Amino acid sequence: MKGVGVEFIINGQKLDLCGVKIQYQMINPLFDEDGLPRVFTTTFSIDATPHNLQILDYANRLDSTSTEDTFICQNHLGGMPFQEGYINVCQRTDKGFKLYFENLAGRLADKAKDKSLQNLDMGKEGVTIVNDTIFEATIIPGAISPSNLGIMINGKRYETGTFTVAGIGIYTALAALINADYPTAASVNNVVPFSISIDQSAIGNHDVIFDCFPQIRKVFEDIPNYVSIHEICESQFIDREGVLRLRIDIDSYSNFIDYNYTNDSTIEDAIDHFINVIHNQEFGQWSIASKINYSVGDKECLALKLDFTRYNTEFLGYNPLVYNITTINLNESTWSITSSSQLYSEKVRDAWDAYMINYSNTSVLGETISYPTIRNTKFYDNQNPLWQLYCNFNNQDNYPMNMKQCAKQFRYNLTPMVNHVDVLDAIADLGGLDIIGAFINRPEIQQLIVYSINSIDDIRAADECGKYVLNCYLREFEIAKQLPDFDVLDFWKAFAKWFCIAWYPTSSTLEAIQKKEILATRIIDWTTKVKPDYTFKNIYDQGTTFDLTHDPDDDKNIDGVLEQLVIGDGEQEVIPELSTLYEIEETAINTNPDRAWRIPEAIQVGNSTAYNNNQNDFLPRLLFFLGFATDINGADYPYADYISAVHSLDWNGADGMYETYWKEWRDFINKGKDLTMSAALNILDILNLQNFRQPRRLIRHSKGQVVGIIKRVSFSSTESRISESKVQFHTQ
C-alpha cells in the first residue's frame, strides 16, 4: 500500500527510490560502543532520474562542479517523521548513485572521529579594554604649593581656581562642578592621597583631559595609547639659579634627570636637556621624548612630550610608572612645586583588574573556565628557578602577579581548566545537537572540569625591553587549546563508559541517562508481536575489572587510592580513557602566608609558550571544581577534588563510581541470555522504538516467559511496505 513505506526528503523533495529495498539498523544506545542511539541504513542504489539529479545537484556528471557528498534529510516511514539525519553519497555512476542514511547521532560520531579536542569551536576567553571604566587622577602636592586642578570634558574645562594648599576642597569643588552637568559622574576619595574619579559611563563617549597644576598636563587620549605632556613654566626657574629635576619611576626602577639652570637658561634649553638624557638612559626604552609647540589662547607654549604608548600596551598589568617635575633651590628656601601622579590610566588598570577578577571569581560554579590551585613541582622541568610550585596560586582571594625579572621566570602561573559539560556541548554541536536532561544538570556533573597542563604564560617584548623581562599572562586565549590533544569521539566514549550512561535523542537534542535507570522503566507486552522461532546464547559472569587510564607522564602516586576494582574473576574490563588527580593535605611553608590545605597534586612537566611552546602531551582527567575552600588560616582558595559532595571518582568505596553508577547495570548485563526473535512490527511499533526510552519487553512463549531489553532491531522497507523485523534482546 502506498504511503506505508520509506521516504527520504531533501529540501522538501522526495528522492525517487525506484522500488529499491532499504535495510535499516536501529541500535539501542545502552549497547552502542559510543553510547549513541544510531539509526542507519546499509548502502542502497537509486537511478539518476531527472528528479534525483535535481535534488542531488547533478553530482554524477563528469562536468559537475558539485563537491557536496552529504545532504540534510528527513526520513519518513508510513508518511510519518521517523529520523532526522543525512543522506551520504558514497558513489556516483553514469546511471545513478550509491547512498546511505544515518541519523544525527551517527553523524555526530562520524564528525567527532579523528578530530582533536583542541580543534573544537569553543571561542576565546580574555579581556577587552572597554570604555565604561573609570579615570582617576591623584595629586600629591609639596608642603607649600599653589594648586589648580582642572578637568576637560567634551571641550569644556572644569576648574577650581587657585588654592594655597591642595586639600580635599579642590576635589569636592571640582566634583560639584562636573556633577552639575553630568550627575553622579564625579566622586571623591577623601583618604590621603585625595583623588577624584570620573565614571566614563556617566558622561558617554566624551573625551576626558586631566590638567594637574599649570606646569604639568596629563592628557588621556586614545586609552591605553596616550602621552604625558610636561608644560615647564617660567615659574619653575626660581631665583634664576637652581636645579630642575625630572623623575621617572618604572616599577621599582627609578631615575632622575637634573637640569642645572642659570640666569641665561630658557625653557627650550631645559626640554632639550631632558630629551637628550632620556634617549641615553634605560627608561628611554619605554618612552619617546620630544619637544612640542602648542597654543593656549594667544600664547605660544613649549612642552616636553613623553609618549608611553609602548609601556601601556605591552606591559599592562605591572606596577605603575610615576613621574614628577620638581624645582630644587640651591639656597636654603623650602618653597617648591612638586607633582606626583600615576602615569597609567585607571581605565586600563580597571580593565586589567576585571581580567584578574574574572580569574578569581571562580566560586560561581558551572563557569566555562576555572582556576583551581594545583601543586605541581615539576611543571617547568627545572627551567624556572623561581617557580613557587602551585598552578593558580591564590593569596587572600587574589591571584598574585609575577614581578619583572632579568630573565623569564614565573613565580606563579595561570592554568585555565575548562568545564566538562561545555566540552560535551561543543562535541554535540558537531552533529547539530544540544545536550539536555536531569543528569547533565546535576550539580556534581556541572562541577566537572578537564584538568590541563597548558599555562597561559606570556612574555611581553622580551627582546625589546632591555633590562627587564615582564612575566605575565595572555590577555586572550582559545578555550579549546586548554584541552588535551585527544580524539573527540574517544573522549565522548570514555565519559559515557566511566559514568555508565547512554545518550537518548529527540530531533535536535541528546539526553544523558544512567543505564541503571532504564532497568526500572515500564515493561511492554510483545507476546503477540514475536514469532515462535528464536535463537539464544547464555551469558556467564566472568567478573569485571574496573580501572582508570592514568597519565604515564605524571609521577604522582598514592598507594591505596584510585586503584582498580576487581569483581569476581575480573575477565571483562571497564577501563575508560579518563582518570583524575590525587589529592594531598599539606602545610605549604613556602607560601605567604603559610597554607595548610587539601589540594590536587601532579608531578608532571607542563606546557608554557614561554619555555616549550606546548609540546608536552597529556591525557584527559576530570576533577570536581568545588568553588572556594578555606585553609587553616581562614583564607580562601579555589578548590578542586576527585571527591564531590555526592560521590568520588575513585572506583572503590561506598560512594565510588562502581556503587554510584555501575553496580546494577553490571549485575544485569553479566547474566541471562542474548535472545534473537522475528517480530511483525507495524509503523507505530517502529516509531515508538526510535529513541529506545522504554525498551523492556515481556514475551510469553510456550517454552518459557522472559523479560528482556531490546538491543537491536533490523528491518527493510520499500516505498510501499515494511518487512518483518529481527529483534535482539538481552533477557534478565
Side-chain angles (χ1 to χ4, degrees):
M1 178 170 41
K2 277 286 188 184
V4 300
V6 62
E7 297 171 329
F8 295 110
I9 302 170
I10 299 173
N11 293 325
Q13 300 186 73
K14 300 177 185 177
L15 286 174
D16 292 333
L17 298 181
C18 308
V20 68
K21 182 183 291 186
I22 312 294
Q23 302 286 340
Y24 276 93
Q25 296 285 336
M26 300 173 63
I27 302 176
N28 189 332
L30 293 175
F31 301 93
D32 181 77
E33 64 175 3
D34 303 329
L36 290 168
R38 298 176 196 269
V39 176
F40 59 92
T41 71
T42 56
T43 302
F44 59 92
S45 298
I46 62 171
D47 297 337
T49 66
H51 186 61
N52 286 341
L53 288 173
Q54 179 186 6
I55 294 174
L56 299 177
D57 200 18
Y58 298 93
N60 73 327
R61 289 184 56 87
L62 293 177
D63 57 359
S64 171
T65 58
S66 173
T67 58
E68 189 61 63
D69 290 325
T70 301
F71 297 85
I72 297 174
C73 175
Q74 286 75 45
N75 179 207
H76 289 194
L77 283 178
M80 302 176 67
F82 177 47
Q83 291 281 321
E84 290 189 34
Y86 294 83
I87 282 288
N88 299 278
V89 181
C90 53
Q91 188 180 83
R92 302 169 175 85
T93 71
D94 59 322
K95 295 182 175 58
F97 305 89
K98 284 190 176 181
L99 315 172
Y100 69 92
F101 171 83
E102 62 181 347
N103 67 345
L104 292 176
R107 180 68 172 172
L108 167 60
D110 287 346
K111 295 195 73 171
K113 187 177 181 181
D114 300 326
K115 183 182 183 73
S116 171
L117 290 172
Q118 294 189 347
N119 293 328
L120 290 172
D121 184 7
M122 300 192 69
K124 296 182 178 181
E125 177 84 0
V127 63
T128 301
I129 306 299
V130 293
N131 293 321
D132 58 357
T133 50
I134 293 174
F135 294 99
E136 184 174 334
T138 303
I139 300 174
I140 307 173
I144 302 174
S145 177
S147 303
N148 183 294
L149 176 62
I151 295 179
M152 187 88 71
I153 300 176
N154 196 27
K156 179 179 178 180
R157 191 173 197 275
Y158 300 83
E159 59 185 6
T160 61
T162 300
F163 285 70
T164 303
V165 178
I168 186 85
I170 294 178
Y171 300 93
T172 55
L174 186 58
L177 292 173
I178 294 170
N179 288 336
D181 289 344
Y182 304 97
T184 73
S187 59
V188 174
N189 172 24
N190 58 8
V191 178
V192 177
F194 308 127
S195 66
I196 185 169
S197 299
I198 307 297
D199 187 345
Q200 182 80 51
S201 63
I203 64 172
N205 293 321
H206 301 312
D207 293 332
V208 176
I209 299 175
F210 284 96
D211 289 330
C212 309
F213 291 90
Q215 78 279 8
I216 294 183
R217 184 184 302 261
K218 283 178 66 180
V219 181
F220 291 81
E221 296 178 332
D222 182 19
I223 305 299
N225 302 323
Y226 68 91
V227 299
S228 171
I229 299 176
H230 299 252
E231 180 185 353
I232 303 173
C233 300
E234 293 287 350
S235 62
Q236 290 187 265
F237 294 106
I238 303 167
D239 296 334
R240 307 306 301 168
E241 184 176 303
V243 176
L244 190 64
R245 172 169 288 178
L246 172 65
R247 174 185 171 188
I248 300 180
D249 297 338
I250 301 177
D251 291 301
S252 60
Y253 174 77
S254 177
N255 211 333
F256 301 88
I257 305 173
D258 285 349
Y259 173 63
N260 297 296
Y261 60 84
T262 66
N263 292 336
D264 297 326
S265 297
T266 66
I267 293 173
E268 187 166 11
D269 291 337
I271 292 175
D272 287 342
H273 175 76
F274 288 143
I275 291 173
N276 180 61
V277 177
I278 284 172
H279 287 166
N280 288 283
Q281 297 212 11
E282 286 187 79
F283 50 70
Q285 298 282 348
W286 289 284
S287 64
I288 300 174
S290 61
K291 182 168 49 181
I292 63 170
N293 294 282
Y294 63 98
S295 298
V296 178
D298 296 332
K299 182 182 178 182
E300 294 297 319
C301 302
L302 195 64
L304 170 67
K305 174 183 175 182
L306 298 180
D307 187 342
F308 290 92
T309 297
R310 277 193 53 217
Y311 182 87
N312 287 286
T313 55
E314 296 181 12
F315 312 137
L316 176 65
Y318 289 86
N319 296 328
L321 180 148
V322 179
Y323 72 93
N324 64 52
I325 292 181
T326 306
T327 302
I328 302 175
N329 296 322
L330 296 182
N331 56 30
E332 296 301 321
S333 172
T334 59
W335 188 64
S336 64
I337 299 176
T338 304
S339 171
S340 177
S341 295
Q342 294 179 338
L343 188 56
Y344 63 82
S345 165
E346 286 298 329
K347 187 175 205 176
V348 175
R349 190 68 187 187
D350 285 350
W352 177 263
D353 287 343
Y355 181 45
M356 300 305 294
I357 288 169
N358 181 51
Y359 286 151
S360 60
N361 187 24
T362 49
S363 60
V364 181
L365 303 181
E367 291 293 317
T368 299
I369 297 294
S370 57
Y371 298 82
T373 301
I374 294 176
R375 178 182 171 94
N376 188 345
T377 58
K378 199 176 178 181
F379 193 95
Y380 289 98
D381 198 22
N382 298 318
Q383 298 181 66
N384 183 10
L386 292 184
W387 174 233
Q388 298 297 298
L389 311 182
Y390 298 94
C391 301
N392 305 322
F393 181 79
N394 184 277
N395 187 15
Q396 306 288 352
D397 297 338
N398 293 302
Y399 285 92
M401 300 183 66
N402 297 296
M403 297 181 66
K404 65 182 187 300
Q405 305 291 332
C406 295
K408 54 185 179 184
Q409 294 179 349
F410 289 81
R411 283 184 170 87
Y412 311 102
N413 75 17
L414 286 174
T415 305
M417 317 252 171
V418 184
N419 182 271
H420 176 258
V421 173
D422 286 334
V423 178
L424 295 181
D425 281 335
I427 296 173
D429 192 54
L430 295 174
L433 297 163
D434 294 321
I435 291 177
I436 62 169
F439 176 81
I440 286 295
N441 290 327
R442 288 181 184 177
E444 69 272 19
I445 302 302
Q446 292 285 327
Q447 290 167 353
L448 287 170
I449 60 174
V450 183
Y451 171 68
S452 179
I453 62 170
N454 293 339
S455 72
I456 53 171
D457 295 341
D458 192 22
I459 298 292
R460 296 284 167 81
D463 297 329
E464 301 175 21
C465 67
K467 182 176 180 180
Y468 297 118
V469 171
L470 299 181
N471 305 290
C472 46
Y473 315 127
L474 293 173
R475 297 191 210 174
E476 186 177 72
F477 59 89
E478 291 187 43
I479 293 174
K481 296 302 183 185
Q482 294 306 116
L483 300 171
D485 184 11
F486 192 79
D487 184 80
V488 167
L489 184 58
D490 288 342
F491 181 82
W492 179 277
K493 290 163 58 175
F495 175 68
K497 179 181 288 188
W498 198 5
F499 284 77
C500 198
I501 61 170
W503 296 96
Y504 286 82
T506 65
S507 60
S508 60
T509 64
L510 281 175
E511 180 175 0
I513 296 180
Q514 290 179 252
K515 290 184 177 182
K516 67 179 183 179
E517 293 181 3
I518 302 299
L519 300 178
T521 56
R522 183 170 70 95
I523 299 173
I524 299 172
D525 191 336
W526 260 20
T527 301
T528 61
K529 301 287 184 182
V530 298
K531 303 294 184 180
D533 56 306
Y534 60 81
T535 61
F536 71 85
K537 180 178 71 174
N538 285 321
I539 303 299
Y540 300 98
D541 189 350
Q542 298 176 318
T544 309
T545 296
F546 295 91
D547 205 349
L548 298 172
T549 304
H550 297 281
D551 194 324
D553 294 323
D554 185 355
D555 297 334
K556 182 65 180 178
N557 181 65
I558 299 177
D559 290 339
V561 179
L562 301 178
E563 294 189 338
Q564 66 177 211
L565 171 67
V566 179
I567 307 295
D569 293 336
E571 292 295 323
Q572 296 180 336
E573 291 184 339
V574 177
I575 307 177
E577 290 187 89
L578 280 170
S579 185
T580 185
L581 272 69
Y582 295 98
E583 294 279 327
I584 60 169
E585 294 182 5
E586 65 160 5
T587 299
I589 60 174
N590 63 330
T591 60
N592 184 23
D594 293 349
R595 314 293 290 267
W597 52 12
R598 176 182 170 91
I599 55 173
E601 182 177 28
I603 304 176
Q604 181 175 20
V605 178
N607 288 315
S608 167
T609 54
Y611 291 91
N612 60 25
N613 200 30
N614 293 14
Q615 296 300 309
N616 297 305
D617 292 331
F618 59 105
L619 294 181
R621 291 187 275 179
L622 302 183
L623 288 163
F624 297 107
F625 180 67
L626 303 173
F628 277 88
T630 303
D631 68 14
I632 197 171
N633 300 310
D636 290 341
Y637 65 96
Y639 174 48
D641 202 329
Y642 69 83
I643 301 173
S644 75
V646 179
H647 67 81
S648 163
L649 294 177
D650 197 333
W651 282 115
N652 297 274
D655 62 350
M657 295 294 286
Y658 173 71
E659 292 288 342
T660 303
Y661 294 106
W662 263 92
K663 185 177 186 303
E664 292 90 340
W665 181 251
R666 198 207 81 86
D667 289 346
F668 169 75
I669 205 69
N670 281 282
K671 62 183 179 181
K673 299 177 175 63
D674 277 346
L675 172 67
T676 301
M677 303 184 77
S678 299
L681 304 181
N682 58 37
I683 292 293
L684 289 179
D685 293 328
I686 293 174
L687 293 177
N688 289 334
L689 267 181
Q690 61 182 314
N691 62 16
F692 287 101
R693 286 298 185 92
Q694 293 184 333
R696 300 177 74 200
R697 297 295 183 266
L698 168 65
I699 300 169
R700 296 184 176 91
H701 196 278
S702 61
K703 296 186 179 179
Q705 176 177 303
V706 294
V707 173
I709 288 182
I710 298 171
K711 296 178 65 174
R712 179 189 293 257
V713 177
S714 306
F715 66 93
S716 63
S717 178
T718 64
E719 292 171 293
S720 59
R721 65 181 299 273
I722 295 175
S723 72
E724 187 175 85
S725 300
K726 284 287 187 182
V727 184
Q728 296 179 24
F729 302 89
H730 183 81
T731 67
Q732 294 173 309

